[in-house]
Amino acid sequence: MNQGGVATANGGSVGVQIQRSPRLPDFLQSVNLKYVKLGYHYLISNLLTLCFIPLIAVISIEASQMNINDLHQLWVHLKFNLVSITICSAILVFGLTVYVMTRPRPVYLVDYSCYRAPDHLKASYGRFMKHSRLTGDFDESSLEFQRKILERSGLGEETYFPKAMHDIPPTPSMAAAREEAEEVMFGALDILLKNTNVNPKDIGILVVNCSLFNPTPSLSAMIVNKYKLRGNIRSYNLGGMGCSAGVIAVDLAKDLLQVHRNTYAVVLSTENITQNWYFGNNKSMLIPNCLFRVGGSALLLSNKSKDSRRAKYKLIHVVRTHRGADDKAFRCVYQEQDDAGKTGVSLSKDLMAIAGVALKTNITTLGPLVLPISEQLLFFSTLLVKKLFNATVKPYIPDFKLAFDHFCIHAGGRAVIDELEKNLQLLPIHVEASRMTLHRFGNTSSSSIWYELSYIEAKGRMRKRNRVWQIAFGSGFKCNSAVWEALRNVKPSSNGPWEDCIDNYPVKIST
């Protein structure tokens, strides 16, 4: 008697006993249930094609048996029904014309870039704690709290602080904040324009997102001034929208590209730390100090058909979820003053629970758009059984690994990545890019998903027709998703953030 087992979620196993036959080899011994599920997936996904095979076979047989007389009779029939054929053809041509003119224009991601700060702005654990102590703003309890958060955060020793935070005492002035913004935005854009060889005058749409720093003139105006963009450019500046604003900016650019033909759109995502460091002792406001670091990304989007040949990706879906109508969700990430009048961003203890609800809503909308029909049928059948028979059936969690090849989960913190890995039943390799981005660059807010995509490319894992799911969370509370499809085997562009360190990753992160 042989026994095989399949691991369960609680660490146990389900035993299956199989009686060995003396006449036949024990094929079931080598069959893993995941391959049975994979076969079911392929069968259901290609069911329509399989149904057409008999029809095609019958038509082929009939056509092969036709002779000259049969063809002549067919011609005579068409000849005496010329009016009907002409009307049908006209309707068909009209319908196809309307379809072509009204269908959404494809949006291509030509290329993107991520800013990497100079080495002298690196902030190791020791440097972080030394500077926090020397500022004189934190009591011993707060210093110890920051030390523990930092050690458990998943951040490495090479993340970056802005220049003003390296000064003793720190100099969080408006001028310093502008300097940080310019270095990040212009640094990312310089790389993008060089890699794509695009003339700044050809850019027709500009969308910039930064939550906490919104000066006048705006960040988008700073870019227009620096690169002397054309006077009729459509520029937008998104503020206060949190770490998921990068996907929102892409969605806005996509909608604008549906209206304005034959143009380029630039999306720039960043966050500014200089004026948003918290110098108080409210522990819920100290956590962002330990997680957020300098970073930014710049994207070049196009609706030009000719760019499909050189673009890296095509935008497939954007799904946005907003939970702001719920008071707890609205206040779970909240900028305010503490009792001493010092401004910071407080994080609620309910943050992960609220993020879970937002994620559930988002994937409920996204699932039917991306999941194979096999997964949708399994989910629907379990839901139907539960509703009709009031059975204690666990809801079926769709296997998103069948819909996506790569996952870019916002590197907001170690807990966020852990929860999504668990709830979506992902493998360690699926969250590797997120964990390594958090380790190397920290939480760079809305740009983190682009550092993650750059990691996947630098590892040589992005193949033609691979699908990528970018998912980000932000204040409000929001959960937003973007789905991209690779148009070719994608290699990393020059001057990428991982260019000289990718061989050092992945690294083991201590628990």
Side-chain angles (χ1 to χ4, degrees), residues 446-461:
S446 56
S447 65
S448 69
I449 53 178
W450 297 103
Y451 287 88
E452 295 164 15
L453 187 59
S454 181
Y455 178 90
I456 296 169
E457 292 179 4
K459 281 294 183 181
R461 297 172 182 171

Side-chain angles (χ1 to χ4, degrees), residues 153-258:
S153 65
L155 273 69
E157 298 276 357
E158 296 186 307
T159 59
Y160 304 96
F161 280 161
K163 181 182 177 182
M165 293 298 103
H166 285 275
D167 295 338
I168 297 295
T171 55
S173 63
M174 173 63 78
R178 284 183 182 273
E179 182 180 351
E180 179 193 347
E182 290 174 354
E183 288 180 356
V184 174
M185 295 192 305
F186 300 163
L189 272 171
D190 285 345
I191 297 172
L192 180 67
L193 295 175
K194 180 180 178 181
N195 289 344
T196 58
N197 197 30
V198 168
N199 187 331
K201 295 291 185 182
D202 293 333
I203 299 171
I205 298 166
L206 173 64
V207 183
V208 180
N209 70 269
C210 180
S211 282
L212 297 176
F213 181 61
N214 292 284
T216 300
S218 66
L219 298 177
S220 59
M222 290 164 61
I223 294 174
V224 172
N225 177 260
K226 165 69 175 179
Y227 295 95
K228 309 305 177 188
L229 303 183
R230 65 198 200 196
N232 65 343
I233 189 169
R234 295 160 181 87
S235 64
Y236 300 85
N237 203 94
L238 307 181
M241 305 194 78
C243 298
S244 67
V247 177
I248 298 173
V250 168
D251 191 35
L252 175 58
K254 177 204 71 176
D255 290 343
L256 292 168
L257 287 171
Q258 298 304 310

Side-chain angles (χ1 to χ4, degrees), residues 248-464:
I248 298 173
V250 168
D251 191 35
L252 175 58
K254 177 204 71 176
D255 290 343
L256 292 168
L257 287 171
Q258 298 304 310
V259 178
H260 305 286
R261 295 175 177 270
N262 200 39
T263 191
Y264 287 116
V266 166
V267 174
L268 198 143
S269 301
T270 187
E271 191 52 82
N272 194 282
I273 297 175
T274 297
Q275 284 195 314
N276 296 290
W277 198 263
Y278 175 62
F279 294 99
N281 292 289
N282 185 323
K283 290 182 173 57
S284 68
M285 295 181 174
L286 284 170
I287 297 175
N289 286 9
C290 302
L291 298 178
F292 282 88
R293 298 294 186 266
V294 171
S297 62
L299 289 62
L300 181 68
L301 302 175
S302 172
N303 57 11
K304 302 178 182 182
S305 57
K306 66 178 183 180
D307 282 322
S308 64
R309 295 188 292 272
R310 68 164 180 154
K312 287 185 172 183
Y313 303 93
K314 178 182 177 181
L315 182 60
I316 306 300
H317 301 292
V318 175
V319 174
R320 294 166 54 181
T321 300
H322 204 306
R323 298 283 301 168
D326 179 81
D327 291 340
K328 282 187 176 181
F330 175 73
R331 292 190 64 91
C332 72
V333 180
Y334 202 81
Q335 186 180 27
E336 58 186 346
Q337 290 181 320
D338 64 10
D339 295 337
K342 296 182 178 181
T343 302
V345 176
S346 64
L347 303 181
S348 168
K349 294 179 180 179
D350 300 323
L351 176 59
M352 291 308 302
I354 291 168
V357 175
L359 173 65
K360 180 180 177 181
T361 305
N362 190 267
I363 65 176
T364 300
T365 305
L366 180 66
L369 300 175
V370 298
L371 287 169
I373 190 64
S374 58
E375 288 298 291
Q376 296 188 47
L377 287 176
L378 285 171
F379 176 78
F380 178 75
S381 61
T382 56
L383 184 65
L384 195 63
V385 169
K386 188 176 181 66
K387 291 290 184 182
L388 293 180
F389 302 102
N390 198 23
T392 56
V393 178
K394 290 184 178 180
Y396 178 73
I397 300 175
D399 188 357
F400 280 92
K401 297 187 293 295
L402 294 173
F404 303 110
D405 303 281
H406 307 284
F407 299 79
C408 294
I409 301 166
H410 165 52
R414 190 170 182 174
V416 175
I417 301 171
D418 288 344
E419 284 300 310
L420 264 72
E421 179 183 13
K422 176 183 175 182
N423 292 333
L424 296 178
Q425 300 177 353
L426 303 179
L427 301 175
I429 194 171
H430 294 134
V431 295
E432 181 182 310
S434 301
R435 292 195 190 281
M436 296 308 105
T437 294
L438 182 64
H439 181 273
R440 178 62 184 84
F441 296 99
N443 181 351
T444 60
S445 190
S446 56
S447 65
S448 69
I449 53 178
W450 297 103
Y451 287 88
E452 295 164 15
L453 187 59
S454 181
Y455 178 90
I456 296 169
E457 292 179 4
K459 281 294 183 181
R461 297 172 182 171
M462 189 62 67
R463 318 305 296 174
K464 186 176 181 179

Side-chain angles (χ1 to χ4, degrees), residues 316-317 370 403-406 465-469 483-485:
I316 306 300
H317 301 292
V370 298
F404 303 110
D405 303 281
H406 307 284
R465 295 192 181 88
N466 278 183
R467 285 201 170 191
V468 186
W469 180 14
V483 180
W484 303 86
E485 182 177 301

Side-chain angles (χ1 to χ4, degrees), residues 3-128:
Q3 186 170 357
V6 178
T8 61
N10 59 9
S13 63
V14 179
V16 181
Q17 293 187 335
I18 303 170
Q19 181 68 40
R20 183 178 296 278
S21 169
R23 297 181 181 179
L24 296 174
D26 189 8
F27 295 111
L28 292 179
Q29 181 67 21
S30 61
V31 174
N32 193 312
L33 290 181
K34 70 178 182 180
Y35 296 116
V36 176
K37 183 179 178 181
L38 189 62
Y40 163 73
H41 156 65
Y42 282 131
L43 175 64
I44 296 297
S45 299
N46 296 284
L47 188 60
L48 186 62
T49 303
L50 294 174
C51 291
F52 271 111
I53 290 177
L55 179 62
I56 294 172
V58 171
I59 294 175
S60 300
I61 293 172
E62 290 293 330
S64 64
Q65 295 177 351
M66 293 180 70
N67 53 35
I68 298 298
N69 290 331
D70 295 328
L71 293 174
H72 178 71
Q73 290 295 326
L74 180 62
W75 168 249
V76 171
H77 178 74
L78 294 175
K79 184 178 179 180
F80 285 100
N81 291 275
L82 186 60
V83 175
S84 300
I85 293 172
T86 303
I87 294 174
C88 290
S89 299
I91 294 173
L92 181 62
V93 170
F94 177 77
L96 289 173
T97 303
V98 171
Y99 170 75
V100 170
M101 295 297 293
T102 59
R103 67 174 181 169
R105 295 185 180 90
V107 174
Y108 302 106
L109 174 58
V110 179
D111 204 351
Y112 65 96
S113 62
C114 298
Y115 173 75
R116 177 170 164 175
D119 288 347
H120 69 271
L121 295 183
K122 286 183 179 179
S124 62
Y125 289 5
R127 194 172 188 180
F128 177 96

